[in-house]
Amino acid sequence: MKGFKSRDVTSLGHQIRGEVFTRGTHGYRREVSGFNLLTASSPDLVVVPEDEADVQAILRWAAEHDCTVHPQATGHGAYRPLEAGMLLKTTRLNRLAIDQEAQRFTVGAGLTWQDVVPELHAAGLMAVSGSAATVSVVGLLLGGGIGPLSRTLGVASDYAESFRVVNAAGEVLVADAEHHPDLFWALRGGKVGLGVVTEATVRAVPLSHVYGGGLFFGAEDMDRLAHAWLDWVTDLPDAVNSSIAFLRLPPEAPGPLGGATVLHLRFAYVDIEASHDELRDQGEAYLAPLRALGTPIIDTIGLLPGDRLAEIHADPTDPVPVWEWGDMLESADHDLIEHLVGQVGGKAQSVLTAVELRRLGGALVRDDLSPSAVGGTRAAFSLLVLGVAIKPVAPLVAVETAGHMIRDLVQPWSASEINYHWAGYPTPEVFINRLWPAETAERLSEVRSRYDPNRLFEFGN
Ligand SMILES: Cc1cc2nc3c(=O)[nH]c(=O)nc-3n(C[C@H](O)[C@H](O)[C@H](O)COP(=O)(O)OP(=O)(O)OC[C@H]3O[C@@H](n4cnc5c(N)ncnc54)[C@H](O)[C@@H]3O)c2cc1C
């Protein structure tokens, strides 16, 4: 390890238009703090490139000084504190260009879905995104991106048409179906160790609205409704997307939700051809069996414009100290629901903030799309367990214990693969055995070693 001295860092600062921060310098704390307040990182350097040429200079400098590089946009995926190396913040790579006629957009690596979806909506287009609008577009694409419309429209990365990437040698590569097709395949789902993406070009969908939103049911109804949801969701057509979340909301949540224990049923009906009236009528027809079972405390379901898709899940947007664990499930049955009800249902005492069961299937298991490295999309359901760790109400150790209890209980339903975005910070065992089928994992490893032979982009496994 060559390492670097302060004069080397000064020299990096002179080579780029962007900024360099070292521990203790003004701005360093602001740049290292991300979405998850549990993760307190202290890398040797934080570098914020202003443009792609900066990224090239930064990576060449890092390679010369044996300094490992961790690209980051928002810190939504920062599950492990960085204690050394360089954090490369992409926040200033913020170009957005929409080609309305060709129904595609090009997005800089620093932009989040909430920067993009209003502009797309104004152009009569919608993107296939994840549930939260505060996640970066590129960060989501790299892991696949299973979102609130994915049963109908597939994963977000199915829509990626090309990436601009700076590799470990500091070269700019355009990866698409014709150029560097191995890298293009890997960037859609392979997630780590592949370079710094500076921009992605993504296909949009000619869609202005879906019929969707959420129903919040009170603690007295939630256990019964969870069982009924399972019966309802098992045979739904691919046009319907849904999940349930057992929620324990903070006192500052709005209106009747403040401090409440609720079941949040998320729903989205998608039909590209349908008029607004048809969307509403057909959407309500699908919902009718659930509506017949109880009266929600809050009902936000209606015609939903594409720039408000994040309201379906209503994920937190401000930074939180959150512990997270997730899995993909081969199937779900009433025994599984009974386990969840026992842990986080209406009568349970729990420190967990959210336990979400999401129906997958539909377009997620289509085989006619361009092959990519995305893993864990063939399961029937996903399960996500979140706990906001705040002393003294929910100390981290209590949150972890409650989360591990659910992990152990649902093990019999666990699928062989798990999507990267559900894995938290994957243990070496999960990284090697569960994120991708063996053949994909092997091919990914080979692509990574071709584009980053010296492992400049460290990913811990
Ligand atoms: C509230 C919430 C809701 C979520 N909902 C969903 C969901 O519905 N579906 C889903 O699939 N996921 C979901 N996720 C997971 C989320 O998509 C991942 O954590 C994703 O990695 C976040 O990307 P980011 O760039 O915003 O985060 P960051 O922490 O900035 O980045 C995460 C990782 O992505 C890589 N990365 C980011 N930018 C670049 C780049 N320019 N070049 C190379 N590598 C890069 C790096 O490996 C980095 O460590 C959710 C997360 C949260 C917190």
Side-chain angles (χ1 to χ4, degrees), residues 321 388-397 399:
V388 175
I390 299 177
K391 282 185 203 165
V393 196
L396 180 58
V397 63
V399 169

Side-chain angles (χ1 to χ4, degrees), residues 12-73:
L12 172 62
H14 288 146
Q15 290 171 49
I16 62 172
R17 288 175 59 227
E19 285 184 274
V20 183
F21 302 91
T22 50
R23 285 190 199 96
T25 55
H26 181 66
Y28 174 90
R29 277 278 123 231
R30 182 194 66 230
E31 294 294 343
V32 292
S33 70
F35 178 79
N36 194 341
L37 301 176
L38 269 190
T39 324
S41 282
S42 59
D44 296 315
L45 294 176
V46 186
V47 186
V48 192
E50 203 64 47
D51 52 26
E52 190 175 76
D54 273 3
V55 177
Q56 291 183 271
I58 291 163
L59 295 190
R60 287 190 179 124
W61 181 95
E64 197 184 319
H65 295 88
D66 269 347
C67 176
T68 51
V69 177
H70 304 262
Q72 188 185 83

